[in-house]
Amino acid sequence: MNFIKVNTYEELSARAAAIICGQVAMKPNCVLGLATGSSPVGAYKKIAEKNNTGEVDFSNVKSVNLDEYVGLNGDHEQSYRYFMNNNLFKHINIDINNTYVPNGCATDVEAECKAYDVLIEKLGGIDLQLLGIGYDGHIGFNEPDTYFEKATHKVTLDSSTIEANSRFFASRDDVPTQAITMGMGGIMSAKKVLLIANGKGKRDIVEKAFFGPITPSVPASILQLHPDLTVIYSEN
Ligand code: F6R
């Protein structure tokens, strides 16, 4: 594991953007695994800047996102499709048809989950997976459990996750209680993994996940077994 501690969110974002753009430069038709949430927003801004100055070209890149709320369609302002369009895809020269987010409004959610894993395989797997980490150690929406779930699946969100995400909704009651998430198999089979975390509040979980025992009660701890993991942490 390559654990990088930096001083500011700005620096974290710059480093993460450099790693992601480096991946695209090395393999212009790569598959990026992307995340939503507040952690990657700064990196996405920097990626857009680099793309706009011609430093990096996303025209042949494909992306697969980690997760989506069940019941929200892509037009809903809190859906992860909407987030990705507005925080990244609209600002770079990626072909929107090459960007994939699970369909939270699929009539058959089980079938959607299976199809998502088939899609990842068809794309040739993920070259670089970007992750944030939840206060309870979740990655994607893989919540603490007694085992690691391999495949893309539907989850019921923990109350701490609903609480944390309620800051984006009008009220806690508006936060969907279920989501579709890529499983640990999809995440762990990515060739490279980059996890970013910032803020004093994330310090304990970062310590547990990367310097504590590997256990499904701290889902991110499985990443210690990944052969090419970079973690960037900023306390501020
Ligand atoms: C989002 C995702 C989540 C977030 C995590 C941290 O696609 O998969 O696991 O990465 O909840 O969220 P933030 O960055 O908002 O603290």
Side-chain angles (χ1 to χ4, degrees):
M1 167 176 51
N2 185 14
F3 190 92
I4 305 170
K5 197 160 179 277
V6 295
N7 291 319
T8 61
Y9 178 68
E10 177 75 16
E11 205 182 333
L12 174 150
S13 302
R15 291 246 194 168
I19 292 171
I20 294 165
C21 292
Q23 170 66 56
V24 175
M26 267 188 319
K27 187 177 174 190
N29 62 348
C30 66
V31 177
L32 296 177
L34 298 175
T36 59
S38 45
S39 307
V41 171
Y44 290 160
K45 278 205 181 102
K46 293 198 183 291
I47 289 171
E49 279 163 26
K50 286 176 191 286
N51 181 237
N52 293 335
T53 56
E55 217 180 294
V56 62
D57 174 20
F58 280 82
S59 59
N60 292 311
V61 170
K62 297 184 183 71
S63 72
V64 282
N65 260 78
L66 280 168
D67 41 18
E68 180 59 283
Y69 288 117
V70 168
L72 300 194
N73 68 34
D75 295 331
H76 191 289
E77 284 186 16
Q78 297 309 332
S79 74
Y80 287 171
R81 161 54 77 183
Y82 188 94
F83 175 100
M84 288 310 301
N85 287 352
N86 286 285
N87 283 284
L88 184 65
F89 300 149
K90 270 188 188 167
H91 309 289
I92 61 175
N93 70 333
I94 197 165
D95 178 348
I96 198 77
N97 297 312
N98 287 335
T99 68
Y100 301 94
V101 180
N103 177 6
C105 286
T107 41
D108 184 343
V109 173
E110 306 303 324
E112 172 67 15
C113 292
K114 285 205 179 96
Y116 208 65
D117 284 335
V118 171
L119 166 78
I120 294 171
E121 217 178 294
K122 266 199 192 145
L123 293 174
I126 297 166
D127 290 293
L128 171 64
Q129 177 66 55
L130 175 66
L131 298 170
I133 183 171
Y135 291 101
D136 60 1
H138 70 233
I139 47 176
F141 273 131
N142 293 279
E143 298 282 20
D145 210 329
T146 51
Y147 62 99
F148 293 110
E149 179 113 29
K150 195 174 169 202
T152 296
H153 58 286
K154 182 170 84 174
V155 282
T156 297
L157 303 180
D158 279 6
S159 55
S160 69
T161 302
I162 294 177
E163 188 62 45
N165 290 1
S166 64
R167 67 190 194 276
F168 300 116
F169 289 82
S171 82
R172 194 183 192 279
D173 290 344
D174 292 328
V175 187
T177 55
Q178 293 187 315
I180 295 174
T181 183
M182 201 189 282
M184 292 302 192
I187 295 171
M188 287 298 282
S189 61
K191 293 182 189 78
K192 295 190 188 84
V193 175
L194 169 62
L195 185 141
I196 54 176
N198 68 290
K200 288 194 175 61
K202 291 265 172 90
R203 192 194 169 125
D204 282 356
I205 194 62
V206 165
E207 254 174 43
K208 269 194 199 154
F210 302 110
F211 302 99
I214 297 167
T215 162
S217 63
V218 182
S221 64
I222 198 174
L223 297 171
Q224 291 182 41
L225 299 175
H226 195 280
D228 193 342
L229 168 68
T230 299
V231 177
I232 311 179
Y233 175 63
S234 157
E235 209 162 72
N236 301 299

